[in-house]
Amino acid sequence: MSTADACAVGCRFCFRADVGRDVLSIEQYAHALSRLHELGIDEVCLSGGEPTDHPDFRQFVRVALQFGFRCAVVTAAREGKRLSALAGVAGMLSHVTVSADSQEAERLGHTGRTIASTTAVFDALGHTRASLHVTAYELGDEDLADIRAVVTAAGVGLEVSPLLPSRTFRFDNPNLAHDLDLIENSLGMSPELRAVVDQYHQWMADPPHRDCESERLYLSADGYLRRCPYDTERQVSVDASRQEISEAVQRMLTEPPHTDIACLAICRPSSAEEAANPVDHDAGNADQAYRQEEPVR
Ligand SMILES: C[S@@+](CC[C@H](N)C(=O)[O-])C[C@H]1O[C@@H](n2cnc3c(N)ncnc32)[C@H](O)[C@@H]1O
């Protein structure tokens, strides 16, 4: 769920689908939860934008629990109001993904999300239903040392995802092969990620056209449900009737949108592939591409 289109974190490389001024209202959010509950969905992930900046962040979490959803959050919080907002609801969250960047990704994106500064965030949670998510570009030994120090001290899981191009930030990644080898050798890597990123440069020139395989729905900050965040052609307002929403969601499943370079990073394997290569779906970050085996959350 995108809590807001605008984002004060302002990562220059951000690949989110919606940028603008829309802010998710508590009314549309509750309406969406009511419909999604009827459709059998049982977990929401608050992202954005920066969810802890939303004035109704606490309410979002409480309302999700009242409807019986598990509620996860993806956040760049580090200190001040963002951290207090997060700490205030931490006990209610099923999972907290704390986003961070390798030193070079941080420099490139002007993100302020260093790996070392996540320690204070994990301390503030009071539990370990959490993971460190590192967006990696030119991954180096210092990054690896920081990652190890944080996950060991905090006892949380780790996700590493290569920095990927977005609609507004296209670039060739000459370090990708090096980054991937380092991730694979130092941390381990899922076969799914290896398969995706092996074709990365080819995809930038010639994006593959295949059906969306995401098993998630996306709620935009202006109150539309879509299967793919990037597909504004097939969407339905949360203000539509029950029947319209149910039929629209059904259509999104039977007539999936096509992928392009923008959404490859959040695309999930199909059920058939997944049955052959099961992965844990229990994390809050829809963008995750890699999960470390240990420590187990
Ligand atoms: C769009 S952010 C929104 C939530 C929150 N503001 C945060 O910083 O975590 C969600 C995740 O997308 C990741 N992300 C954004 N752009 C990316 C890109 N171009 N390549 C890889 N990951 C990206 C971020 O690092 C973050 O972990």
Side-chain angles (χ1 to χ4, degrees):
M1 294 192 162
S2 174
T3 50
D5 286 347
C7 181
V9 184
C11 308
R12 293 195 178 176
F13 52 67
C14 186
F15 60 24
R16 77 203 140 104
D18 298 313
V19 283
R21 302 171 77 100
D22 285 309
V23 177
L24 186 63
S25 72
I26 189 79
E27 291 78 19
Q28 287 201 302
Y29 173 76
H31 213 154
L33 287 190
S34 172
R35 295 290 96 86
L36 294 171
H37 183 65
E38 290 162 7
L39 291 172
I41 290 163
D42 61 5
E43 177 162 27
V44 296
C45 176
L46 302 175
S47 186
E50 173 48 45
T52 59
D53 283 344
H54 195 292
D56 292 325
F57 174 62
R58 186 181 179 82
Q59 272 298 91
F60 280 169
V61 176
R62 291 176 68 98
V63 171
L65 265 69
Q66 281 162 7
F67 271 101
F69 286 85
R70 286 177 292 147
C71 183
V73 166
V74 186
T75 180
R78 290 294 188 279
E79 56 185 16
K81 283 186 184 164
R82 284 182 186 153
L83 188 54
S84 353
L86 182 66
V89 297
M92 293 188 265
L93 297 172
S94 58
H95 192 86
V96 181
T97 303
V98 183
S99 301
D101 304 288
S102 68
Q103 290 185 7
E104 278 305 304
E106 203 280 324
R107 190 187 55 76
L108 208 59
H110 294 235
T111 66
R113 307 182 308 182
T114 66
I115 296 169
S117 61
T118 60
T119 298
V121 185
F122 292 118
D123 283 350
L125 295 181
H127 60 74
T128 55
R129 298 188 300 279
S131 53
L132 170 68
H133 178 95
V134 178
T135 301
Y137 185 81
E138 272 188 51
L139 203 59
D141 289 340
E142 284 185 36
D143 296 317
L144 293 175
D146 287 347
I147 289 173
R148 287 209 178 86
V150 167
V151 296
T152 307
V156 296
L158 169 67
E159 301 148 17
V160 181
S161 171
L163 182 60
L164 292 167
S166 64
R167 284 179 176 174
T168 52
F169 195 89
R170 300 292 283 261
F171 61 94
D172 211 36
N173 185 346
N175 307 292
L176 188 69
H178 167 262
D179 284 359
L180 292 176
D181 287 346
L182 209 56
I183 294 172
E184 193 154 40
N185 296 331
S186 313
L187 306 164
M189 192 187 318
S190 70
E192 291 84 3
L193 175 61
R194 186 89 230 185
V196 168
V197 287
D198 271 350
Q199 297 170 54
Y200 174 93
H201 287 116
Q202 184 195 324
W203 285 353
M204 283 179 69
D206 183 18
H209 289 282
R210 57 171 201 236
D211 288 346
C212 173
E213 294 171 342
S214 168
E215 294 180 348
R216 292 175 164 81
L217 287 176
Y218 170 78
L219 176 68
S220 66
D222 58 350
Y224 284 87
L225 284 169
R226 327 202 258 270
R227 177 159 178 197
C228 175
Y230 300 91
D231 180 27
T232 48
E233 280 173 25
R234 272 165 287 200
Q235 58 181 8
V236 62
S237 165
V238 296
D239 296 326
S241 70
R242 268 193 181 80
Q243 191 175 346
E244 281 171 323
I245 294 180
S246 165
E247 285 172 3
V249 170
Q250 201 53 44
R251 258 197 317 279
M252 290 173 205
L253 295 175
T254 51
E255 300 162 29
H258 293 299
T259 56
D260 71 12
I261 191 77
C263 65
L264 290 168
I266 58 171
C267 196
R268 308 287 303 203
S270 70
S271 319
E273 274 169 337
E274 226 170 329
N277 298 300
V279 290
D280 176 9
H281 269 201
D282 217 21
N285 191 348
D287 316 311
Q288 66 172 358
Y290 159 78
R291 172 103 21 85
Q292 192 187 26
E293 294 299 328
E294 296 290 341
V296 176
R297 285 193 305 276

